[in-house]
Amino acid sequence: MVDVWSPLIQILEGHTSNVESAVFSPDGKLVASASMDSTIRLWDTSTGKQCGVLEGHSNYVNSAVFSPDGTLIASASWDNTVRLWDTSTGKQCGVLEGHTNYVNSAVFSPDGTLIASASSDGTVRLWDTSTWKQCGILEGHTDCVKSAVFSPNGTLIASASEDNTVRLWDTSTRKQCGVLEGHTDCAKSAVFSPDGKLVASASWDRTVRLWDTSTGKRCRVLEGHTSHVNSAVFSPDGTLIASASFDETIRLWDTSTGKQCGVLEGHTNFVKSAVFSPNGTLIASASSDKTVRLWDISTGKQCGVLEGHIRDVLSTEFSTDGKLAISASFDETVRLWDTSTGKQCGLLEGHTSYVNSATFSPDRKLVASASSDSTVRLWDTSTRKQCRVLEGHTNYVNSAVFSPDGKLVASASDDRTVRLWDTSTGKQCGVLEGHTHRVNSAVFSSNGKLLASASCDNTVRLWDTSTGKQCGVLEGPTWNVNSAVFSPDGTLVASASDDETVRLWDTTKKENIEIIKTHQSTKIMKFSNDGRHLHTSRGILQLKPPLHGRGNRELAHTLTHSLYVTDQWITCNMKKLLWLPVDYRPSYSAVNGTGNLIVIGSDCGRVTFISFDFTALPAAYLQPSVNAAAIASKGFPDISSLVGSP
């Protein structure tokens, strides 16, 4: 278990595309979220359950907002309309038409008598809520208007635009009364402080700026985000500002000092908006990772920091003895983990770009890492020090692998070659050329005499390692081939492709003998020692009975179960076993040799170890599954009732 928990208390799932905004109802009991899936969804904040889907827009929904009394929702869409919805029934009760381009936001006035809508047609339009008729057009911006908002007393409107300005408007006269200039890129949103004396504007220039509404003068610049800032909002008491950014964080700022006082981390894609609950104890954030997240900020403490990688995990692997695991990441590091404790026990730093893969040597004394900096690096696992840099590739290196005796390393690259290296000297000793697109991976046969390479030219190629000559081309996949691996006796090659298939090939005849439809992209890690299973980056797949005889049967009794990771579930023998919350879902995963321990690398950088005691499972889970191809076509059976509620 993690030692420090973040303020994250709920993840609301259901949208099928980016979530553009989320907002609390006036009483704080509901959240309304707007999405590019063309829907608005309502959520119960106490349970996190979805309690309504508002459908009717014919294009992306950019924002949704409650009326002051909570009885209505107004939604703004790329279908050029604002739509009104009855909160209690979920029924549409009005359509506001008039804009000639996308409507980016809509908001009620404090007394609920007006709606202001901001549009890519360069205008803000006012609508009378008693008649649903247009009653004003605010013109002056020279580019798309991203948002508009009323002041707390309803006398002013602030609008933010791609013309890099925020403009103030008198609600009664419909006249412009101020232009706030200073941003060097699009002003994405603006919001008034609760007392109406300040405006906070969020910009793609990576800053939040505070302005005095009486003078129009800038009084603070809040800097710290490392990418575009999409929105900023004041807490109900005006003491804090929360800003949402493309850097995947929400940052908290002290309004009086302008100092950053917290960072909420956990989203795995752009954060589009953040908003405080009415009592100021919660923040709801909306993200392109398709989730809305609720955060408890009542303690005022910064979010707990996830231990481990700080960016996407690109590969994971167990050592041959199962005592160590290794992970490679976009954060340019390789990390070693003790599988008995799940603790990090080594940090390998030196690459200057993404580390695409890392692997142990057969004796576990070395690690080879492949990077987008065009190098392969060798590391001593006992000292955690770099001991060789293998240079020669002219483009990204996607993977590196040791020969069975550990004397060679084969590296696969975007330069369309596989290169062989002497591990003792670091010298290049062969270049295998023939692929017509980037090479994703390479692997040696168990006797080291053959090498198989997988490529985006949709082929697997076989090579004689003694001569460097190509001796076979395996064709059939309809998309990129990610990986290939030899069976223990070398008579088979298994390949995995982005066409969501795993294919088995006869290495003598160079023929395809089986296609397994996985309905997910995966990578092949290895055959089991008994030849009955394939270890993949998603878990373990069972093979058809006719193939079982090709392997060594000595270890057949050790694997009576088969763990596999789908997007949301860990399954056992293809039966749903454990549901994975969003932050624990795999960007890459691996299962150990005995099949009872899974390591999962996630997009947020988290590395998680989950072990299973199969003696405690109902017998139904341990019954051998049918062939994977048949399961893939029918879906996974749900037998969760056998083990009760989660």
Side-chain angles (χ1 to χ4, degrees), residues 303-379:
C303 167
V305 179
L306 300 178
E307 295 182 4
H309 291 292
I310 58 175
R311 292 199 63 189
D312 303 24
V313 179
L314 297 177
S315 79
T316 55
E317 181 182 304
F318 285 94
S319 60
T320 51
D321 60 8
K323 294 181 179 180
L324 289 177
I326 196 168
S327 56
S329 169
F330 266 156
D331 66 11
E332 302 178 5
T333 70
V334 177
R335 295 175 193 249
L336 295 175
W337 308 85
D338 184 314
T339 59
S340 63
T341 65
K343 298 293 186 182
Q344 184 178 297
C345 57
L347 174 61
L348 312 183
E349 296 179 291
H351 282 294
T352 58
S353 189
Y354 308 149
V355 186
N356 296 311
S357 74
T359 187
F360 290 98
S361 61
D363 60 7
R364 211 190 75 171
K365 292 181 179 179
L366 293 176
V367 165
S369 56
S371 170
S372 291
D373 65 11
S374 304
T375 71
V376 176
R377 296 177 189 241
L378 300 183
W379 312 81

Side-chain angles (χ1 to χ4, degrees), residues 34-261:
S35 170
M36 290 175 72
D37 65 11
S38 304
T39 70
I40 302 98
R41 294 177 190 246
L42 300 180
W43 312 85
D44 185 309
T45 56
S46 62
T47 65
K49 297 292 187 184
Q50 183 177 292
C51 51
V53 182
L54 312 183
E55 297 178 292
H57 281 295
S58 59
N59 209 328
Y60 304 154
V61 186
N62 293 312
S63 73
V65 64
F66 287 91
S67 60
D69 62 7
T71 60
L72 293 176
I73 289 172
S75 57
S77 169
W78 276 23
D79 64 11
N80 301 357
T81 70
V82 176
R83 294 178 188 245
L84 285 303
W85 312 83
D86 185 302
T87 310
S88 60
T89 66
K91 300 294 185 182
Q92 184 177 292
C93 53
V95 182
L96 311 183
E97 297 179 293
H99 282 294
T100 59
N101 209 327
Y102 306 150
V103 186
N104 297 310
S105 73
V107 63
F108 286 90
S109 60
D111 61 7
T113 61
L114 293 176
I115 288 174
S117 56
S119 169
S120 292
D121 64 14
T123 70
V124 176
R125 297 182 186 237
L126 299 181
W127 312 82
D128 186 311
T129 56
S130 62
T131 64
W132 306 130
K133 299 294 185 183
Q134 183 177 292
C135 56
I137 303 179
L138 311 182
E139 297 179 291
H141 282 295
T142 59
D143 208 333
C144 163
V145 187
K146 306 301 287 187
S147 71
V149 64
F150 287 91
S151 61
N153 62 10
T155 61
L156 292 177
I157 290 173
S159 57
S161 169
E162 287 189 6
D163 65 12
N164 301 354
T165 70
V166 175
R167 296 178 188 245
L168 301 180
W169 311 82
D170 186 300
T171 311
S172 59
T173 66
R174 316 309 200 231
K175 299 294 185 183
Q176 182 177 292
C177 54
V179 182
L180 312 182
E181 296 179 292
H183 284 298
T184 58
D185 205 337
C186 167
K188 190 69 165 57
S189 71
V191 63
F192 287 91
S193 60
D195 60 9
K197 294 180 179 180
L198 295 175
V199 165
S201 57
S203 170
W204 282 10
D205 65 10
R206 304 183 184 183
T207 70
V208 175
R209 296 179 189 239
L210 299 183
W211 313 83
D212 186 307
T213 55
S214 61
T215 65
K217 300 293 186 183
R218 187 187 73 208
C219 46
R220 293 203 191 286
V221 180
L222 313 182
E223 297 179 290
H225 282 294
T226 58
S227 190
H228 303 336
V229 187
N230 290 310
S231 74
V233 63
F234 287 90
S235 60
D237 62 7
T239 60
L240 291 176
I241 291 172
S243 55
S245 170
F246 273 22
D247 66 11
E248 303 177 5
T249 70
I250 300 100
R251 294 178 190 248
L252 302 179
W253 312 84
D254 186 300
T255 311
S256 61
T257 65
K259 300 294 186 183
Q260 184 176 292
C261 53

